[in-house]
Amino acid sequence: MYNFTYNLDGITYTETVSNDKEEFYDNHCHSCFELILIENGKVNTVIEGKSYSVSAPCVIALHPLYYHSLSPLKNCPYIRTTLMFQKESLPSEIADVFSASLKKQPIVNLPTVNAISKKISQILSDKEIDKYVPLLHAKSVELFYEIALSDE
């Protein structure tokens, strides 16, 4: 398994690449928002007792204190980028709408969201990431807006 973590403006980004056939993320929760950008692979997830099967590309968007587990399927590499952040990291204009949208639908699979997610992953993979910090911030804010507006 490979992990890379980067912190920016109250958001923790973690890129994970795994070929581990026994990988499983047991039922747990966080005190912050979590966006899991699935870039490759298929995942079975249980969120607040409801089961979902998702395939890349898509985003699993979790509200704080929502219990969830993840089990990547064993037939292909599992690649994801995770964003973890507090409500204060969201633009104040959309914070409440963003929060409400995650409660309605935790799986987001829209072309605009997937394109932004891919760009965030590309930035995090660049060896000279520091020169792309303004773009990383802008793409994260754009992602927040797209998710907030996804159910309108």
Side-chain angles (χ1 to χ4, degrees):
M1 182 179 344
Y2 163 79
N3 276 313
F4 170 76
T5 301
Y6 191 82
N7 294 297
L8 174 66
D9 296 333
I11 304 170
T12 300
Y13 301 84
T14 304
E15 180 90 0
T16 302
V17 177
S18 176
N19 289 311
D20 185 351
K21 306 271 188 262
E22 301 302 317
E23 187 170 356
F24 179 76
Y25 299 90
D26 229 350
N27 198 33
H28 65 285
C29 69
H30 307 280
S31 61
C32 59
F33 288 98
E34 179 179 25
L35 300 180
I36 304 169
L37 319 179
I38 308 291
E39 300 168 52
N40 191 69
K42 296 179 180 181
V43 178
N44 289 325
T45 184
V46 177
I47 302 167
E48 288 291 298
K50 187 171 180 184
S51 296
Y52 302 88
S53 290
V54 297
S55 298
C58 77
V59 175
I60 301 172
L62 300 165
H63 197 273
L65 304 178
Y66 269 32
Y67 278 89
H68 58 285
S69 62
L70 290 137
S71 180
L73 299 185
K74 298 173 170 79
N75 59 350
C76 59
Y78 173 52
I79 302 171
R80 74 179 191 178
T81 299
T82 304
L83 283 69
M84 298 184 81
F85 53 93
Q86 298 296 330
K87 191 173 184 177
E88 295 75 30
S89 295
L90 295 166
S92 59
E93 299 83 1
I94 62 158
D96 291 336
V97 174
F98 180 90
S99 181
S101 72
L102 270 57
K103 289 181 179 180
K104 290 180 189 173
Q105 180 52 268
I107 308 299
V108 182
N109 191 357
L110 298 170
T112 53
V113 169
N114 294 336
I116 298 164
S117 298
K118 183 176 180 178
K119 190 63 179 174
I120 289 171
S121 298
Q122 289 171 338
I123 294 166
L124 290 169
S125 297
D126 195 292
K127 290 181 178 20
E128 298 181 53
I129 188 172
D130 290 337
K131 70 181 180 182
Y132 295 106
V133 165
L135 182 59
L136 180 59
H137 177 76
K139 287 296 175 183
S140 299
V141 170
E142 184 180 7
L143 181 65
F144 299 152
Y145 270 89
E146 286 294 331
I147 290 171
L149 303 174
S150 66
D151 69 328
E152 289 189 350

